Amino acid sequence: MSSLALLHAEQLVTLSGPKRPRVGVEMSELAIIRNGGMLVRDGKIESIGPSDEIEQNVGDAEVVDARGGVVMPGFVDAHTHLVFAGNRLDDFERRARGETYEQIARAGGGIWSTVEKTRAASERDLLADAKKHANWFLRCGTTTVEAKSGYGLTVEDELKILRVLRRLKEEVPLEIVPTFLGAHAVPRKLTPDEYLDLVITEMLPRVVMENLAEFCDIFCERGYFDIDQSRKILSEAKKLGLNLRGHVDQLTNSGGAKLMAELGGTTADHLEQTDEQGIAALRKANVQPVLLPGSVYALGSSRYPRAREMIEAGLAVVLATDFNPGSSPTPSMPMVLSLACTQMKMSPAEAITASTVNAAHSVNRGDKIGSLEPRKLANFAIFDCQDYRELAYWFGTPQALAVYVKGGRVL
Ligand code: NIG
Ligand code: FE
């Protein structure tokens, strides 16, 4: 049996508490142990508490001295587009000159330009890039990511991306939760309804048959998929046993939050334009909002989602990077914490809850990860600071000193 004893963490941020997503004031309760310690056996947390108590049971465990550092559960990044080819540097420069996301897409940039590059890339090349991205996440202290397809838009290319995710999961320590996002954009030469038919009759059955995804997602937006089309795809996915996520109300308030509530989605993501009625609908249906301030920032917008109202309404808010080459080229959860605090007026504690335990529940893994409690996986990071608030405060500064997945050091 391999075992490890982590001792003397300045702050051991456990987030122990109720076995469900945290809401309201619970989001501020991090259950911190000062001078904390933790005993890990066979990849799982055996006991956790004051360092001097843990020290008495060290036995032959390997000792990790976390003196002077903050120890936290690894971040769970609940919304990423991890597999794609190339970059969108031209879009980036055009935005700097004042063009909008939609203008750039119409002029040949946008999602479509990444689709062309991703279709042309081999599975091997995509896997090599994906491994590089996975390493970036680990270096930021993230140990689990949800990751979507969506840059293939043909049966074979969507399956290719999902297969890359499956191989990635086998070959890197980062835990991957796969999502099928065939309805990310309408391919050239097809009408929305023709493509919808392809997604429903060919893609979804293959994805489910080959067990390649846990969730189905859509981009419900003007110029992409409208409410009725989104409802058709998601309802079909639900019938086939997939859980639902959705890119909704990002650029326009089209009623996407209400749709996710109507369908009993697990999450509704983006929500920059969602109003009080949308928030109330999410609350009533117990849908978790996944807020993506990195994409608001990188698109040069100032319209952040209404995080405070959502917390006050009792929603179990989640924060994620939306890592993708177009609207949010960052794998950094600490950067997202900074944006959450400075732009959405979340407290550092709320932001940490939103990016660990709440995020874990939003990917159906709340029983295994997201907090440091006995029997959960020993997925944690040691940060070079003495107060958890420093993670959100020193923005743009790498602070992860070491990262562990299932008790093994991966960084
Ligand atoms: O979450 N909004 C749609 N999808 C992505 C952007 C993808 C892209 O621009 O490549 C997002 O922001
Ligand atoms: Fe996204």
Side-chain angles (χ1 to χ4, degrees):
M1 289 224 288
S2 67
S3 49
L4 186 137
L6 175 117
L7 301 174
H8 304 301
E10 202 74 37
Q11 290 186 335
L12 182 53
V13 181
T14 70
L15 288 124
S16 77
K19 296 185 191 324
R20 53 167 173 74
R22 312 291 161 76
V23 296
V25 289
E26 292 169 356
M27 287 189 69
S28 306
E29 292 157 10
L30 300 184
I32 295 173
I33 305 170
R34 286 182 190 281
N35 191 16
M38 181 164 77
L39 207 57
V40 171
R41 213 178 291 278
D42 285 338
K44 291 196 178 150
I45 299 168
E46 189 173 88
S47 55
I48 183 158
S51 193
D52 46 3
E53 280 175 21
I54 298 295
E55 217 167 348
Q56 286 162 19
N57 300 310
V58 166
D60 57 2
E62 176 196 340
V63 172
V64 175
D65 192 335
R67 216 176 294 258
V70 166
V71 176
M72 278 199 9
F75 290 115
V76 177
D77 191 341
H79 182 137
T80 82
H81 307 246
L82 190 145
V83 177
F84 56 84
N87 59 49
R88 297 259 282 282
L89 287 168
D90 293 335
D91 293 19
F92 178 65
E93 192 163 345
R94 286 166 97 144
R95 265 201 310 280
R97 282 194 245 114
E99 288 179 54
T100 67
Y101 185 76
E102 286 170 298
Q103 282 167 341
I104 293 167
R106 277 197 297 273
I111 292 174
W112 184 253
S113 63
T114 300
V115 168
E116 286 179 322
K117 292 183 200 125
T118 306
R119 284 182 180 175
S122 67
E123 210 165 306
R124 195 165 142 216
D125 290 345
L126 287 176
L127 182 66
D129 279 353
K131 281 186 177 173
K132 186 167 96 176
H133 301 154
N135 196 42
W136 290 351
F137 282 99
L138 290 169
R139 272 159 49 193
C140 296
T142 297
T143 49
T144 301
V145 299
E146 180 269 5
K148 306 171 198 302
S149 66
Y151 291 119
L153 312 187
T154 64
V155 178
E156 281 317 314
D157 290 301
E158 284 295 303
L159 293 175
K160 173 174 79 174
I161 295 171
L162 291 170
R163 281 196 291 262
V164 167
L165 285 169
R166 175 177 283 173
R167 282 204 42 202
L168 187 67
K169 194 177 168 131
E170 287 159 9
E171 295 185 23
V172 300
L174 185 70
E175 168 75 5
I176 317 274
V177 180
T179 293
F180 169 61
L181 174 58
H184 194 197
V186 180
R188 299 253 155 101
K189 299 197 191 118
L190 292 186
T191 65
D193 284 331
E194 284 167 345
Y195 185 58
L196 193 95
D197 199 51
L198 185 70
V199 171
I200 291 180
T201 60
E202 293 193 41
M203 291 186 188
L204 269 171
R206 288 281 298 274
V207 168
V208 171
M209 199 169 61
E210 295 185 32
N211 200 13
L212 284 166
E214 298 178 27
F215 289 91
C216 180
D217 197 339
I218 38 99
F219 187 17
C220 179
E221 186 60 65
R222 179 177 67 197
Y224 295 83
F225 298 91
D226 67 20
I227 291 281
D228 286 341
Q229 293 161 340
S230 301
R231 181 187 286 111
K232 279 194 190 133
I233 293 171
L234 291 176
S235 306
E236 192 58 32
K238 190 174 167 178
K239 274 194 228 149
L240 295 176
L242 296 178
N243 290 305
L244 310 182
R245 317 179 85 77
H247 287 68
V248 294
D249 302 345
Q250 180 185 12
L251 308 171
T252 53
N253 182 8
S254 61
K258 286 187 208 148
L259 177 69
M260 297 315 291
E262 173 196 321
L263 296 173
T266 304
T267 68
D269 304 39
H270 276 290
L271 307 175
E272 285 85 340
Q273 315 293 332
T274 301
D275 58 15
E276 315 75 76
Q277 284 127 16
I279 293 175
L282 294 177
R283 174 71 196 91
K284 216 162 148 218
N286 247 325
V287 180
Q288 286 190 265
V290 180
L291 309 184
L292 310 165
S295 65
V296 182
Y297 168 78
L299 291 178
S301 160
S302 51
R303 177 81 180 243
Y304 287 87
R306 304 187 194 180
R308 281 255 60 83
E309 280 173 53
M310 293 179 191
I311 292 171
E312 272 141 36
L315 293 181
V317 170
V318 176
L319 286 167
T321 61
D322 194 12
F323 175 72
N324 75 71
S327 67
S328 193
T330 181
S332 170
M333 283 307 298
M335 180 66 201
V336 168
L337 298 185
S338 166
L339 291 168
C341 297
T342 60
Q343 309 302 308
M344 303 198 298
K345 307 302 173 200
M346 289 174 70
S347 71
E350 289 170 337
I352 283 181
T353 302
S355 52
T356 54
V357 67
N358 278 9
H361 282 282
S362 86
V363 292
N364 292 340
R365 281 163 173 71
D367 56 335
K368 293 197 185 70
I369 55 171
S371 64
L372 301 176
E373 297 179 85
R375 288 177 297 283
K376 281 199 169 182
L377 295 179
N379 292 4
F380 63 92
I382 307 177
F383 291 101
D384 187 13
C385 55
Q386 274 111 66
D387 184 313
Y388 71 88
R389 293 175 297 181
E390 291 181 69
L391 288 174
Y393 171 74
W394 302 108
F395 70 92
T397 312
Q399 294 180 75
L401 287 176
V403 179
Y404 289 77
V405 172
K406 295 183 188 153
R409 186 163 182 180
V410 296
L411 187 99

